[in-house]
């Protein structure tokens, strides 16, 4: 999910490889704008801002409508590949698998670019769709996902008929509707919420009541008062 921490050690264990290899992979993802690194906190999946999401959708609209406009006739093999991809989307929708559903709905556009014969733009779209997929994972409802899949079907049907003008119009409308359906203004979930609560000062509003074992971190020798009178600034939770 957007904002999730990516621990080098955990990834190293998961893929049974060195942390050096994991770090190289994360650096490549950072260069593509999919993860970001903090010198003090580590690696995290990006949380695209409202402006970044809008720009990504606008870039996709220009690229994808242009691809369809300049495309030649699609052969049966290419159409079969697109239809198989849509079938995978339908399966993911039935299983209510948000992660797989979001990936497939975004990957349809990469698949279409490859089928239209432009690998360079397909690679560019892969990064754009990765960013918009992160937004969809946070804010797209199941109903909107079903509608998105149906619009993919209609685009492929237009291409199958050789009606590029309709396919281009449907694609422009589809990207615009997906963008407008996302509640981009909604506040993202706080990835530190649980830790923030656990380490909050005992006398802070909203702190858990049972904190009798919590102690100030590295208090000075003069700090001998009870926990209830200790300044919240001595707790790590206050810094978070």
């Amino acid at each position: 999910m957007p904002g999730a921490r990516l621990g080098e050690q955990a990834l190293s264990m998961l893929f049974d490889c060195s942390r050096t290899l994991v770090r190289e992979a994360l650096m490549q993802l950072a260069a593509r704008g999919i993860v970001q690194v903090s010198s003090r906190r580590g690696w995290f999946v990006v949380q695209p801002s409202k402006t970044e999401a809008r720009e990504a959708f606008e870039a996709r609209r220009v690229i994808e409508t242009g691809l369809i406009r300049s495309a030649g006739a699609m052969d049966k093999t290419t159409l079969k590949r697109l239809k198989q991809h849509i079938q995978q989307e339908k399966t993911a929708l039935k299983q209510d698998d948000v992660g797989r559903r979001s990936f497939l709905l975004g990957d349809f556009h990469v698949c279409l670019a490859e089928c239209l014969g432009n690998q360079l733009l397909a690679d560019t779209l892969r990064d754009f769709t990765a960013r918009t997929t992160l937004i969809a994972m946070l804010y797209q409802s199941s109903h909107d996902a079903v509608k998105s899949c149906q619009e993919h079907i209609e685009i492929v049907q237009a291409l199958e008929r050789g009606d590029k003008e309709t396919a281009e119009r449907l694609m422009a409308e589809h990207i615009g509707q997906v963008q407008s359906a996302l509640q981009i203004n909604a506040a993202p979930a706080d990835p530190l919420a649980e830790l923030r609560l656990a380490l909050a000062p005992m006398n802070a509003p909203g702190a858990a009541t049972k904190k009798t074992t919590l102690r100030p971190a590295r208090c000075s020798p003069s700090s001998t008062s009870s926990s209830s009178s200790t300044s919240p600034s001595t707790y790590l939770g206050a810094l978070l």
Side-chain angles (χ1 to χ4, degrees):
M1 292 294 289
R5 188 175 186 278
L6 302 171
E8 290 183 9
Q9 183 61 36
L11 289 171
S12 174
M13 294 172 63
L14 179 65
F15 290 103
D16 191 22
C17 63
S18 69
R19 290 185 61 173
T20 299
L21 189 60
V22 168
R23 192 174 300 114
E24 289 176 357
L26 290 170
M27 289 172 64
Q28 290 185 30
L29 290 174
R32 295 168 58 186
I34 298 171
V35 304
Q36 58 189 11
V37 63
S38 168
S39 58
R40 295 181 179 275
R41 298 172 57 213
W43 300 90
F44 294 85
V45 179
V46 298
Q47 286 184 302
S49 67
K50 180 181 177 181
T51 299
E52 291 169 337
R54 186 186 68 250
E55 290 176 349
F57 276 109
E58 289 174 352
R60 283 182 52 188
R61 186 183 296 108
V62 171
I63 292 172
E64 296 184 56
T65 55
L67 271 173
I68 293 174
R69 188 183 312 123
S70 60
M74 302 188 74
D75 57 34
K76 291 183 178 179
T77 302
T78 301
L79 289 167
K80 181 180 179 181
R81 179 184 173 188
L82 287 171
K83 291 178 180 179
Q84 288 175 338
H85 194 287
I86 289 174
Q87 188 57 48
Q88 292 177 334
E89 294 178 22
K90 292 179 178 179
T91 301
L93 287 168
K94 290 179 181 178
Q95 296 174 344
D96 198 27
D97 185 337
V98 176
R100 181 169 176 76
R101 176 189 80 192
S102 299
F103 164 73
L104 287 171
L105 289 173
D107 193 57
F108 167 82
H109 298 267
V110 179
C111 180
L112 177 60
E114 291 175 340
C115 289
L116 293 175
N118 195 315
Q119 187 60 51
L120 180 61
L121 287 180
D123 292 339
T124 301
L125 276 175
R126 182 171 287 107
D127 289 349
F128 284 141
T129 54
R131 298 179 197 181
T132 53
T133 294
L134 291 174
I135 292 290
M137 290 178 69
L138 285 175
Y139 307 121
Q140 190 176 54
S141 69
S142 297
H143 173 75
D144 291 328
V146 171
K147 188 173 184 296
S148 183
C149 180
Q150 180 58 39
E151 290 168 355
H152 290 173
I153 294 173
E154 294 171 0
I155 291 169
V156 172
Q157 289 174 342
L159 289 170
E160 188 172 18
R161 296 192 305 268
D163 188 352
K164 293 194 297 181
E165 184 178 342
T166 298
E168 181 183 343
R169 175 179 57 80
L170 290 172
M171 179 62 79
E173 292 175 354
H174 167 63
I175 295 176
Q177 289 171 0
V178 171
Q179 181 180 4
S180 62
L182 301 179
Q183 302 171 14
I184 296 176
N185 288 322
D190 182 2
L192 299 178
E194 185 176 350
L195 184 62
R196 195 187 306 279
L197 177 62
L199 297 181
M202 289 186 292
N203 58 343
T209 55
K210 294 183 179 180
K211 294 289 183 179
T212 55
T213 59
L214 186 61
R215 293 291 182 270
R218 297 187 179 181
C219 290
S220 63
S222 61
S223 212
T224 57
S225 59
S226 65
S227 60
S228 61
S229 61
T230 303
S231 170
S233 62
T234 61
Y235 288 87
L236 179 59
L239 302 178
L240 297 174

